[in-house]
Amino acid sequence: MALVVPVFVIWLLACSFPPATSYPDGQVTVACSSMEPRHKHSPQPGVIHNITVDKTVFSPGDQIKVTLSGDRFSGFLIQARNANNLDGDAVGSFSLIDSQVSQLLKCGSLPGSAVSQTNKRRKEQVEFYWIAPSAGPQHIQFLATVVEKYAIYWVKIPGPIISQSGFLLVSSKPQNVVPSVVPPAVPSASLLTEGVSSSGCGSNKFCVRSPISCDPQRDLHCFFLSFRREGDSILIEMSGPVKGYLSFALSHDQWMGDDDVYLCVINQQTVTINPGYFRGRKHPDVASSNVLRDMAWRIEDGILQCSFRRNIRIPDSQERYPLDSHHYIFVADGDAEDGHIHRHQRQPLITSKMYNVAESNEDVGGSRSPLLIKFHGAMMFVAWMTTVSIGVLVARFFKPVWPTSTLCGEKIWFQVHRILMVTTVLLTVLAFVLPFLYRGYWSTRAGYHPYLGCIVLALAVLQPIIAVFRPPPCSHRRPLFNWAHWGTGTIARIIAVAAIFLGMDLQALDLPDPWDTYTMVGFVLWHVSVDILLEVHGFFLQKGTRMMVEDHMEILNPSIAKDEGHTFKKIVLTVYICGNFAFLITFLAAINQL
């Protein structure tokens, strides 16, 4: 009875407070109508966040880029409504630019009529597209609710008003529009009558090609970019097998960000050609094409080609780099949807050094894999395909082959095993560091590969530590050591192979697919086959030796049988090493071609 009263009081107090709800995952359809979060607090006065659009006039079906920016915020809800009835239902629908940051909501009966956050991580800017409805009001205004934290939020922040064609809204209030994105007059592109050609590369124009020396007129897999100076301007031509877009960028370094970029984007039955600018590792800010002229394009047999002319210097723009200075050159391709580009699925082609395309006529190639990542892959292949495989094979099957021979005071098999294992550890440690030197941080787009790499590194370093505490052969702890040493090494090799399979298809390396998978499967089968062959050979050798001893056969004594077995093992080891090196050289050659 003594416990009943306190429990009753606690229950009563709990029931006396109204429940508070929050939606860190952005599923706030309950707030569609009022746009007010149910946080039991009053909204903040004033406006510290900003909504911008890239057009003030729209037609049915148009896509307008909407940007919400301001002080760091965790949650948001944005809608478009009739400017003459802001308490009405949402109008039109949205499409996403980054599905990891924002998501579509169904407000009322219209799917995708609102956008909210996907998580509570802090943001400074979010972007998406609003799609104009086929039958909508004459004037649209964007509204946003922004949440900084649970008790601090703003409701129905007013955004810009946009109007249908023919119904321009006259207002003294300035609209939050980015005027540089869509100029009053935009040059149009025409059809390219003649295909892009590699003629003149290295003599009267600067060319970037992949594969090197390929011809875009004959090679369906050729990525091609050329610059030909004509007075104070340069004619630029691009060609490549793409489904969405083809682009190139001028950069001050070999890292994406703060780059002058030019895009040819397939948009249904036409191609748009625009300059842009990369601000960090995200979608480029597409600018007006009024700095370009003589734009033309063609699509034939899955090959996108486009050309345009640009002045060497554009004094009024800091984002358009002068073409008579030195830059690294990027060539990228990827998918596009309704004229909007997606993140490229593989590493851009990047030149090995900086070039002045206006002053030199060179014919160069590039690489889709950074040099540090190439070394990372090459070292891991050497370590976990060759040195560790041969070292384990020697320790497991070749102890009896050289029973008395020594090298530097130790048995040959042990010295070979130790040298190869130490080499494996050193290569693994060095290779592990290289991606961090390249990126400077942990890669969030590499999937499980870096996690498996950490496990492999830990097990590889653990092996020599275990070996230091190896007990004598006659010790009762020796079997425990043998099992621990074998188990740790076996697990490390299995995880290393899995990490290699995943790493071969990452953007920074991306070996040819499915060739890389088939070749790696071939290597695994090769190693397992040799392992099984030596196991079977050892089994029958021991069985035959046992029978000879039991029958007291003096003509064929056991030592002769063992010697014959040793010869067979040496032949198998030689063949295995040759095959192993063949697989290794194949992969290293493929990495070198990237």
Side-chain angles (χ1 to χ4, degrees):
M1 185 65 182
L3 292 175
V4 173
V5 174
V7 171
F8 176 77
V9 172
I10 293 172
W11 174 81
L12 186 61
L13 289 173
C15 293
S16 65
F17 291 100
T21 56
S22 64
Y23 301 90
D25 61 354
Q27 295 295 331
V28 292
T29 53
V30 294
C32 278
S33 178
S34 65
M35 297 189 70
E36 293 187 8
R38 299 184 177 183
H39 290 185
K40 304 302 180 181
H41 291 272
S42 299
Q44 300 294 311
V47 175
I48 64 172
H49 301 87
N50 193 36
I51 307 172
T52 59
V53 295
D54 65 354
K55 294 180 182 178
T56 55
V57 181
F58 68 90
S59 300
D62 281 357
Q63 298 195 51
I64 297 176
K65 188 176 183 180
V66 183
T67 302
L68 172 64
S69 59
D71 287 354
R72 291 167 64 86
F73 53 93
S74 59
F76 65 91
L77 174 66
I78 190 165
Q79 296 179 8
R81 293 188 177 183
N82 187 339
N84 297 318
N85 181 21
L86 294 181
D87 294 326
D89 295 332
V91 177
S93 60
F94 290 87
S95 65
L96 302 179
I97 291 179
D98 189 346
S99 60
Q100 294 184 351
V101 174
S102 54
Q103 62 181 326
L104 300 178
L105 297 180
K106 181 180 180 181
C107 284
S109 59
L110 185 61
S113 54
V115 186
S116 68
Q117 80 280 1
T118 58
N119 54 67
K120 61 181 181 180
R121 288 197 296 269
R122 292 298 183 95
K123 314 159 187 66
E124 293 182 351
Q125 178 175 296
V126 289
E127 298 175 327
F128 19 78
Y129 292 99
W130 179 75
I131 305 172
S134 57
Q138 297 173 3
H139 309 293
I140 297 294
Q141 184 169 16
F142 292 94
L143 301 175
T145 291
V146 176
V147 177
E148 180 180 321
K149 54 185 179 180
Y150 186 81
I152 302 177
Y153 58 89
W154 293 259
V155 175
K156 286 188 176 180
I157 298 172
I161 299 176
I162 60 176
S163 305
Q164 283 203 54
S165 300
F167 298 96
L168 294 181
L169 181 67
V170 178
S171 174
S172 60
K173 181 179 180 180
Q175 301 298 313
N176 299 326
V177 179
V178 183
S180 63
V181 176
V182 180
V186 178
S188 59
S190 61
L191 290 177
L192 186 65
T193 55
E194 296 183 3
V196 174
S197 171
S198 61
S199 176
C201 285
S203 58
N204 63 359
K205 63 183 179 182
F206 184 98
C207 297
V208 180
R209 296 194 263 182
S210 177
I212 193 70
S213 300
C214 67
D215 188 344
Q217 290 186 327
R218 296 193 301 267
D219 189 350
L220 296 179
H221 302 286
C222 182
F223 283 88
F224 179 85
L225 171 66
S226 68
F227 303 84
R228 186 175 67 193
R229 181 166 184 169
E230 298 176 352
D232 293 332
S233 66
I234 288 185
L235 176 64
I236 301 170
E237 296 180 317
M238 286 192 288
S239 176
V242 301
K243 296 181 180 179
Y245 71 91
L246 182 64
S247 68
F248 81 91
L250 304 174
S251 178
H252 299 300
D253 52 34
Q254 292 182 302
W255 190 253
M256 179 177 147
D258 298 326
D259 305 325
D260 181 12
V261 63
Y262 299 84
L263 303 124
C264 294
V265 185
I266 299 175
N267 186 2
Q268 297 180 355
Q269 302 301 317
T270 187
V271 173
T272 59
I273 303 175
N274 286 93
Y277 189 76
F278 277 113
R279 304 181 189 277
R281 298 178 63 81
K282 59 181 182 179
H283 282 75
D285 296 331
V286 178
S288 165
S289 58
N290 58 6
V291 298
L292 310 178
R293 60 185 187 272
D294 298 338
M295 296 183 294
W297 60 271
R298 67 184 293 179
I299 302 176
E300 185 176 347
D301 297 329
I303 307 298
L304 170 62
Q305 297 185 341
C306 60
S307 68
F308 54 90
R309 194 181 305 276
R310 206 210 87 168
N311 286 343
I312 293 177
R313 288 182 172 269
I314 304 177
D316 298 332
S317 176
Q318 294 182 348
E319 297 178 349
R320 304 281 79 83
Y321 293 163
L323 298 179
D324 57 354
S325 58
H326 287 77
H327 300 97
Y328 289 100
I329 302 172
F330 291 51
V331 179
D333 66 286
D335 296 329
E337 183 177 358
D338 296 327
H340 304 299
I341 68 172
H342 296 288
R343 188 178 187 274
H344 47 78
Q345 296 301 312
R346 60 175 176 171
Q347 192 87 356
L349 183 74
I350 306 174
T351 57
S352 60
K353 64 178 183 178
M354 305 174 82
Y355 292 97
N356 183 332
V357 298
E359 303 297 337
S360 63
N361 294 320
E362 298 187 50
D363 189 5
V364 304
S367 174
R368 292 190 181 273
S369 179
L371 186 61
L372 290 178
I373 301 300
K374 284 185 175 182
F375 276 114
H376 168 79
M379 289 179 181
M380 286 301 190
F381 274 118
V382 172
W384 294 97
M385 278 185 58
T386 302
T387 58
V388 75
S389 299
I390 297 175
V392 169
L393 209 70
V394 169
R396 186 173 181 182
F397 297 105
F398 289 83
K399 292 180 183 179
V401 174
W402 302 286
T404 58
S405 301
T406 60
L407 179 63
C408 298
E410 294 284 355
K411 293 183 179 180
I412 289 181
W413 73 266
F414 180 76
Q415 287 287 41
V416 171
H417 174 75
R418 182 162 59 182
I419 291 172
L420 292 177
M421 293 301 102
V422 170
T423 303
T424 299
V425 175
L426 294 177
L427 288 173
T428 302
V429 172
L430 182 57
F432 182 84
V433 174
L434 296 182
F436 292 96
L437 293 178
Y438 168 66
R439 291 195 176 275
Y441 58 87
W442 181 272
S443 176
T444 58
R445 298 181 179 271
Y448 292 107
H449 176 77
Y451 298 98
L452 296 180
C454 290
I455 297 174
V456 170
L457 176 68
L459 295 176
V461 173
L462 182 61
Q463 277 292 74
I465 296 176
I466 294 176
V468 170
F469 298 98
R470 181 182 58 174
C474 57
S475 173
H476 66 281
R477 293 178 298 168
R478 185 58 177 258
L480 180 62
F481 162 81
N482 291 340
W483 279 107
H485 194 59
W486 175 84
T488 304
T490 301
I491 294 173
R493 293 170 66 199
I494 293 173
I495 297 177
V497 170
I500 290 174
F501 269 107
L502 296 177
M504 292 188 301
D505 293 325
L506 292 179
Q507 270 197 13
L509 195 63
D510 197 18
L511 295 179
D513 193 60
W515 168 89
D516 55 348
T517 301
Y518 293 150
T519 307
M520 194 63 195
V521 169
F523 165 75
V524 173
L525 293 176
W526 166 255
H527 177 79
V528 172
S529 299
V530 172
D531 201 294
I532 293 175
L533 176 63
L534 290 174
E535 284 282 4
V536 172
H537 171 261
F539 172 79
F540 282 106
L541 189 64
Q542 290 181 358
K543 183 178 179 181
T545 303
R546 213 166 31 243
M547 290 177 58
M548 287 186 292
V549 171
E550 291 174 356
D551 294 340
H552 302 285
M553 296 182 63
E554 298 181 357
I555 300 177
L556 294 174
N557 58 60
S559 62
I560 298 177
K562 288 183 180 180
D563 289 341
E564 291 178 352
H566 296 169
T567 301
F568 176 79
K569 284 184 177 181
K570 292 176 182 178
I571 294 173
V572 171
L573 180 62
T574 302
V575 174
Y576 174 77
I577 292 175
C578 292
N580 189 291
F581 273 94
F583 279 105
L584 177 64
I585 292 171
T586 301
F587 277 110
L588 295 182
I591 292 175
N592 185 58
Q593 293 298 319
L594 296 176

